[in-house]
Amino acid sequence: MNKESVFRQLEQRLIRLPLTTEALSEFNAMAIASSLKQKRSIISHHLNNLHREQRVIKINGRPVLFLPVEVLRTHHHLVVRHRDYASLQALYEERQDNLELLIGAQGSLQDALRQCKAAISYPGAGLPLLLHGPTGTGKSFLARRLWQYAIEQGILSSDAPFTVFNCAEYANNPELLTSKLFGHARGAFTGADRAVAGLIETSDGGVLFIDEVHRLPPEGQEKLFHFMDNGSWRRLGDSREELRATVRLIFASTEDLEKHFLATFIRRIPVIVQILPVAERGQHERLAFIQHFFRSEAQRLDHDLALDEEIISLLMQKTLEGNVGGLENLIRNVCASAWTFGQREGEVLEVKAGHLPDEIVSERPFTLMESPRRVMIYRDRGIFPLVPAQHQAYRRLTENICGLCEELDRDDISIRMFEKLTYQNVTFYLDALMNKESTVSHQDKRLRFIEDVGKALAANYDLDLNAEFAYLAGRYLTSLPLTPRETSTAARQVMLRWLEDSSGLAQRITRKLLSVVVNKYDLLIDTLDQVAIAAIVNNAIDATTHGKVKAVIIAHGYSTASSIAGLSNRLIGEKIYQAMDMPMEVAFSDVSRSIVDYLKHTDTQAGVMVLIDMGYSKEIADALLGVIQGPLVVVNNVTIRLALNIASEIVAQKSIEQIAEEIVPLNQSSWDLYWPEKKKKRVLLVSCITGIGTAFKFKTLMEKSQLTDFDIHIIACEYIRLKSSQMAASLLNQYEVIAVVGTDDPQLAGVPWVGIEELLGEKGYAHLTQLLSDYLNNKQIELINKNMVREFSLHNVVNSLTILNAAKTMGHIETIIAEWQNTLGFTFNNNLTLGLYVHLSCMIERLVMRNEITHYKNLAEFNSQHGKFITMVNHSFQQLKNLYNVALPVAEIGYIHDIFELRIEAFDW
């Protein structure tokens, strides 16, 4: 019995068994060997190999248990972050909540689920939640999952009810609809011969999901928002004491909210979540839905499915009506057609492209092609089947790189050779595509975009990479098939190890490039593709720098330096030295200009080592320290032996100081070490008087404006610490601080301050230009300004600062500000208004999340001197306090008062 057979047995067993100590006791080497009638040593050998390949985990104990990773993840819903666990209990602690398992939980649904969790978890009856999106996007499914999540997390009891009510079923009978929701008393209407409890009453302690809530009539909405406000209601026809219940309300609607709801109703729903149609959720998630629905049908039919590869491609491209539900129904119909009219061999059902509806197949242009390849969907596996590549060139590339992985794993080739051969295979693949692929307009756009990203990254890292690097990356990424790649688990593990161990700079550029491109086009990037792009980046960097110490040989004579450098480079097998011959009649200044020109276009962060035959140490330092980033070592009395010894250490990537200290003295040479004056990192400081959390949110918004792409970094600081002289001195010594952006001026000596509301205001462009004109050119500032306008719209800022719905939060704040203007008797200017919007949105989030500020300078004094102001603020916040069941500490009111004092001269409230 081979390793794969053992692994298959483990998977099949674990799918059928619960995760209990008793059930898992048979997953040790002795028990497995006994059940398979094999020698224990053979089974143990296979299990350890599977563990080495990270396909099984070990539970260390007596005896050691071996469990297949993917079944634990997909069937038993465990995260499985480690290769070894001390006990089963440690493994159980990694159980995922059911929301994390949803398709899109880390993608299009990430923000939506964050809001949903906050709403369902809120103390008391939670926060009313509205799921808004087209039909078939899974709103009902998500509502049920939220109920299950609340039970899992102990928010609701295990027997908490989940009740579904569809308003559309009663839209033509408002009285019956109201009765269904709120119940009715005996005699409330004709035929009401007994009192009946409504759904709100029977949902006490659980969740009531009200679908198509836009069909609820105005009087029904009014009764419902009374319940949302007070937690109480009366049955229809009952004028006695009100009933009370604790019910978490989830609404769903497909319609325009402003057209179908009373403003007073929609204002009481603080969390409104948009659910996107499947066409807008990206290729990753669409493929995941296709996988899920085919596997569901395979389980329903109790047959594995053999699909024509073309089916996947057609379903990925087709725009479907009905969204997720439409895709599910289409796949079910395809499988039904295959079951009735297709072929079955054993327990495998063949599903062919001809089983698709005619309107889908007819849209595909006819092409002569090889016999269609098969995609296997297994009913008892949690892993999506490996889908063959879409064309021969990509298959060949995949096979070749996997072959290189095997050689690297056996130590048949070096890491350096693996990098070179991977790059070579990628270029062969791209060459093969040139004559096989037609150019499509959207690909041209994607290609230009990726080229621009590559060039921007090269400039950002001060690398003089040639244009071919960005073009190759673009050509590769625009050629990718839409389906997962056919790579073995062992090869994938080798790739992952290589990516982890590769050059830090190359990996940073690769990750950034893929992040930007995937964010824009949502390509399906596999581990193999990461390796391919990293190989392209590595090669580009190698063309200008090896990420190692740079070395130059200078010697008097027409060819002395060239001879030593040439011989050393040939013997080492790499170009380590750049030669600078210095004939007697040539001035040193002429040679130094050549060296400077060479080093300007080279990465010198690891340092530069200059080997010279005599003198000029100080002159070399004066010439080079202005253009290099790392240390400079000048070595006298260069010889072939010295050059070879140093070259060997450079290849081994030893530091320049280590080479100088250990190698140079052995060759009876002297050396001098010089350090360039380090340029301070340019930074913008972001702070907020209400805490570091808000400052970090401002920092995120500013980073989205691409300031960091132009070597201007953003640092979030606590306002109180920033005010301290020690913190300020540390920052000013460490960084070149361009300015402070925030809600209040911390008064850093010599550093300008810009209020966040000023960046949001009409003169925001001018402020930004004034700050950056010494660091960026006009074109770059124009780009930053454009991004700032987009990212720092008031809606974006408020949306980023609160878990609640931005539009509703802004509506509350608008009402509060209007009341303050009326009470204070004057109209607020733009800066004050914007400052209040930003501050109050932060404050509302703090109150809702129970993170309110309770400390304020001279709190007792403020309380006694500003009673009128405190009363005004408390009165204006009464509705919000009732809506969210929160209190407003006097300390929070103190910070609001500070905003008025800072922006209004002689404010005396």
Side-chain angles (χ1 to χ4, degrees):
M1 176 169 281
N2 61 26
K3 177 181 67 177
E4 296 305 319
S5 299
V6 174
F7 184 64
R8 178 79 169 164
Q9 289 285 333
L10 289 176
E11 285 194 312
Q12 290 175 343
R13 289 185 188 188
L14 192 57
I15 285 172
R16 297 193 301 265
L17 295 173
L19 290 186
T20 63
T21 304
E22 183 180 358
L24 297 181
S25 62
E26 63 182 76
F27 283 82
N28 62 79
M30 180 64 77
I32 296 168
S34 175
S35 66
L36 297 177
K37 299 179 180 177
Q38 299 287 322
K39 290 184 177 179
R40 183 187 180 283
S41 58
I42 294 174
I43 297 300
S44 181
H45 173 74
H46 290 326
L47 290 173
N48 282 303
N49 281 337
L50 289 167
H51 178 257
R52 194 175 300 112
E53 294 169 8
Q54 299 188 28
R55 297 165 70 187
V56 302
I57 60 165
K58 277 185 181 180
I59 308 295
N60 293 314
R62 294 177 180 269
V64 175
L65 305 180
F66 296 86
L67 304 176
V69 172
E70 287 303 327
V71 175
L72 290 171
R73 286 175 175 162
T74 58
H75 191 78
H76 294 289
H77 311 318
L78 298 178
V79 179
V80 190
R81 297 184 179 90
H82 310 291
R83 296 177 61 184
D84 297 81
Y85 289 85
S87 65
L88 283 171
Q89 184 59 39
L91 176 65
Y92 297 156
E93 289 173 1
E94 296 201 344
R95 186 174 296 279
Q96 295 173 304
D97 67 58
N98 77 84
L99 294 179
E100 290 179 0
L101 301 174
L102 292 179
I103 293 171
Q106 307 305 318
S108 67
L109 289 180
Q110 189 171 34
D111 290 338
L113 292 180
R114 179 175 65 90
Q115 290 181 288
C116 288
K117 286 181 178 181
I120 204 75
S121 305
Y122 192 74
L127 298 177
L129 165 67
L130 173 61
L131 304 177
H132 185 238
T135 300
T137 49
K139 298 185 291 296
S140 302
F141 178 77
L142 178 56
R144 185 173 290 275
R145 281 299 186 96
L146 282 169
W147 165 65
Q148 293 169 345
Y149 168 80
I151 292 174
E152 285 178 1
Q153 300 299 313
I155 299 164
L156 299 176
S157 64
S158 59
D159 59 349
F162 178 78
T163 311
V164 179
F165 178 66
N166 193 319
C167 295
E169 297 174 13
Y170 305 92
N172 297 322
N173 191 335
E175 191 175 67
L176 182 57
L177 188 153
T178 304
S179 170
K180 279 285 184 183
L181 273 176
F182 299 100
H184 62 261
R186 182 180 179 184
F189 50 83
T190 303
D193 55 356
R194 60 188 178 88
V196 175
L199 294 179
I200 286 180
E201 190 170 347
T202 59
S203 300
D204 188 20
V207 173
L208 174 58
F209 174 56
I210 303 179
D211 202 2
E212 300 200 59
V213 68
H214 54 273
R215 306 293 290 272
L216 195 65
E219 57 270 25
Q221 293 183 35
E222 288 174 352
K223 288 186 177 182
L224 200 52
F225 73 60
H226 175 79
F227 172 69
M228 286 191 282
D229 283 349
N230 304 295
S232 62
W233 80 99
R234 287 189 177 93
R235 289 176 177 172
L236 187 66
D238 190 350
S239 59
R240 293 174 302 170
E241 185 178 353
E242 292 185 327
L243 302 172
R244 301 192 66 82
T246 301
V247 180
R248 281 169 163 75
L249 294 174
I250 302 177
F251 306 105
S253 177
T254 59
E255 303 301 316
D256 188 311
L257 303 183
E258 293 183 2
K259 290 181 180 177
H260 292 81
F261 294 95
L262 298 174
T264 48
F265 177 76
I266 207 68
R267 211 169 39 234
R268 283 168 168 79
I269 303 177
V271 183
I272 298 178
V273 173
Q274 296 295 328
I275 308 297
L276 296 175
V278 70
E280 297 177 26
R281 291 181 62 172
Q283 298 281 35
H284 285 279
E285 292 178 26
R286 185 168 186 141
L287 182 62
F289 279 120
I290 292 170
Q291 160 204 344
H292 173 73
F293 293 140
F294 269 120
R295 184 164 179 264
S296 294
E297 295 310 308
Q299 291 172 336
R300 187 192 306 274
L301 298 170
D302 197 24
H303 274 62
D304 297 334
L305 305 181
L307 275 64
D308 279 1
E309 184 182 17
E310 187 181 9
I311 293 175
I312 302 291
S313 179
L314 285 167
L315 291 179
M316 290 291 286
Q317 296 169 29
K318 174 67 177 172
T319 301
L320 298 169
E321 295 182 5
N323 294 304
V324 177
L327 180 62
E328 181 179 20
N329 288 334
L330 174 59
I331 289 174
R332 182 166 296 168
N333 290 337
V334 168
C335 291
S337 178
W339 181 262
T340 306
F341 305 108
Q343 297 179 353
R344 276 175 259 171
E345 293 183 10
E347 294 187 349
V348 177
L349 171 65
E350 291 195 13
V351 184
K352 298 186 177 181
H355 295 129
L356 289 166
D358 291 342
E359 63 269 19
I360 294 181
V361 180
S362 62
E363 294 175 6
R364 180 92 163 188
F366 176 76
T367 55
L368 281 173
M369 56 182 294
E370 307 170 7
S371 298
R373 297 174 63 87
R374 293 286 186 265
V375 177
M376 291 302 300
I377 304 280
Y378 297 102
R379 60 193 185 277
D380 60 349
R381 288 191 191 174
I383 311 168
F384 188 55
L386 301 171
V387 182
Q390 290 181 331
H391 48 75
Q392 188 61 36
Y394 193 89
R395 282 200 297 272
R396 190 179 301 116
L397 172 68
T398 303
E399 291 165 0
N400 290 346
I401 293 181
C402 287
L404 291 174
C405 288
E406 292 176 8
E407 293 184 55
L408 181 62
D409 199 36
R410 295 195 304 263
D411 290 329
D412 290 346
I413 57 174
S414 66
I415 291 177
R416 184 70 180 157
M417 184 59 68
F418 175 81
E419 292 175 9
K420 289 181 178 178
L421 293 177
T422 298
Y423 174 76
Q424 191 178 80
N425 275 282
V426 170
T427 55
F428 286 160
Y429 159 68
L430 294 176
D431 289 343
L433 289 186
M434 289 295 197
N435 299 322
K436 291 185 178 182
E437 288 191 343
S438 58
T439 303
V440 182
S441 59
H442 78 272
Q443 280 194 333
D444 288 342
K445 269 195 251 179
R446 280 166 37 185
L447 180 57
R448 287 196 299 273
F449 172 76
I450 295 168
E451 284 189 80
D452 289 343
V453 173
K455 291 172 185 174
L457 285 172
N460 186 59
Y461 286 101
D462 294 324
L463 293 171
D464 186 31
L465 303 182
N466 56 39
E468 186 186 32
F469 139 72
Y471 174 75
L472 289 176
R475 283 291 294 124
Y476 182 88
L477 292 174
T478 53
S479 74
L480 294 179
L482 295 174
T483 49
R485 320 297 190 253
E486 190 176 36
T487 53
S488 69
T489 304
R492 193 179 298 271
Q493 294 305 321
V494 174
M495 293 179 204
L496 289 171
R497 284 199 300 272
W498 178 76
L499 286 168
E500 289 173 4
D501 296 338
S502 290
S503 157
L505 178 60
Q507 278 308 299
R508 283 197 298 275
I509 294 175
T510 300
R511 281 195 297 269
K512 183 68 173 174
L513 174 68
L514 291 176
S515 171
V516 172
V517 174
V518 169
N519 186 54
K520 180 148 181 96
Y521 289 110
D522 196 41
L523 301 175
L524 188 64
I525 303 296
D526 189 75
T527 309
L528 183 139
D529 304 318
Q530 295 177 47
V531 168
I533 296 299
I536 292 172
V537 174
N538 265 322
N539 184 77
I541 293 176
D542 282 349
T544 54
T545 171
H546 292 298
K548 303 168 186 166
V549 173
K550 299 301 171 294
V552 179
I553 295 178
I554 305 173
H556 292 84
Y558 287 97
S559 62
T560 309
S562 298
S563 298
I564 298 173
L567 178 61
S568 300
N569 290 341
R570 284 197 302 275
L571 291 175
I572 293 297
E574 284 188 35
K575 184 176 179 181
I576 301 296
Y577 292 108
Q578 183 77 13
M580 296 289 175
D581 293 308
M582 192 167 62
M584 294 298 180
E585 64 273 17
V586 173
F588 176 78
S589 57
D590 294 330
V591 176
S592 66
R593 277 195 294 270
S594 298
I595 301 172
V596 167
D597 186 62
Y598 161 67
L599 293 176
K600 270 183 180 177
H601 301 284
T602 305
D603 176 15
T604 56
Q605 294 185 53
V608 176
M609 184 163 276
V610 177
L611 283 63
I612 191 166
D613 57 351
M614 66 176 98
Y616 295 110
S617 178
K618 182 66 170 62
E619 291 85 347
I620 291 171
D622 291 341
L624 302 188
L625 287 178
V627 296
I628 65 175
Q629 291 86 44
L632 169 69
V633 169
V634 181
V635 182
N636 280 306
N637 303 324
V638 60
T639 63
I640 291 176
R641 178 188 171 193
L642 174 64
L644 285 171
N645 288 341
I646 288 176
S648 299
E649 299 304 295
I650 290 175
V651 168
Q653 296 196 26
K654 290 193 176 180
S655 70
I656 193 168
E657 298 99 319
Q658 191 176 2
I659 296 171
E661 291 170 356
E662 295 177 3
I663 302 302
V664 176
L666 297 177
N667 291 269
Q668 298 181 340
S669 299
S670 61
W671 55 280
D672 296 296
L673 173 66
Y674 304 91
W675 288 89
E677 186 176 339
K678 289 276 186 182
K679 289 183 180 178
K680 291 182 179 179
K681 187 185 289 185
R682 297 179 295 192
V683 301
L684 279 172
L685 303 181
V686 185
S687 78
C688 178
I689 57 174
T690 55
I692 191 68
T694 307
F696 269 114
K697 292 180 179 181
F698 283 141
K699 174 180 183 285
T700 301
L701 274 176
M702 295 189 75
E703 286 176 336
K704 287 181 180 177
S705 301
Q706 290 186 314
L707 277 163
T708 52
D709 288 348
F710 296 101
D711 203 26
I712 295 176
H713 303 269
I714 318 294
I715 296 178
C717 302
E718 283 187 274
Y719 176 81
I720 299 299
R721 293 190 65 207
L722 201 54
K723 289 273 290 181
S724 74
S725 57
Q726 185 177 359
M727 174 73 168
S730 173
L731 286 167
L732 293 173
N733 285 332
Q734 193 173 357
Y735 303 108
E736 182 182 355
V737 180
I738 297 173
V740 180
V741 177
T743 53
D744 196 11
D745 187 359
Q747 299 178 339
L748 258 67
V751 178
W753 170 77
V754 179
I756 199 74
E757 66 273 14
E758 291 174 329
L759 281 182
L760 294 173
E762 296 174 0
K763 297 182 179 180
Y765 309 152
H767 284 296
L768 196 64
T769 302
Q770 186 177 2
L771 290 178
L772 302 179
S773 58
D774 290 340
Y775 306 94
L776 304 177
N777 59 40
N778 290 336
K779 187 176 179 181
Q780 292 168 332
I781 293 174
E782 185 180 343
L783 174 63
I784 297 296
N785 277 338
K786 186 170 121 184
N787 291 331
M788 280 282 190
V789 170
R790 183 183 71 248
E791 297 299 337
F792 273 75
S793 68
L794 182 58
H795 186 277
N796 269 5
V797 171
V798 175
N799 194 47
S800 72
L801 296 179
T802 176
I803 62 165
L804 306 178
N805 179 271
K808 300 300 166 286
T809 303
M810 291 173 72
H812 292 312
I813 295 171
E814 182 181 5
T815 303
I816 289 167
I817 289 176
E819 184 177 326
W820 289 352
Q821 288 182 127
N822 185 55
T823 304
L824 294 172
F826 66 92
T827 302
F828 299 170
N829 61 37
N830 286 345
N831 274 357
L832 175 58
T833 303
L834 289 168
L836 288 171
Y837 266 106
V838 173
H839 179 86
L840 294 179
S841 60
C842 298
M843 189 187 77
I844 290 169
E845 177 181 26
R846 288 196 301 274
L847 297 179
V848 168
M849 299 304 289
R850 297 293 196 264
N851 292 324
E852 63 271 17
I853 294 173
T854 55
H855 300 287
Y856 179 74
K857 60 182 186 298
N858 303 322
L859 185 59
E861 182 182 336
F862 173 79
N863 211 346
S864 63
Q865 293 182 2
H866 299 284
K868 284 194 304 179
F869 186 84
I870 294 169
T871 301
M872 178 190 76
V873 173
N874 272 320
H875 182 269
S876 64
F877 266 87
Q878 194 58 49
Q879 185 183 10
L880 268 177
K881 289 194 283 186
N882 292 339
L883 178 63
Y884 296 128
N885 190 28
V886 296
L888 182 62
V890 174
E892 289 280 10
I893 299 175
Y895 282 106
I896 297 172
H897 192 271
D898 286 349
I899 293 175
F900 280 95
E901 279 194 329
L902 283 166
R903 288 159 180 80
I904 299 174
E905 193 172 346
F907 183 69
D908 59 357
W909 268 66

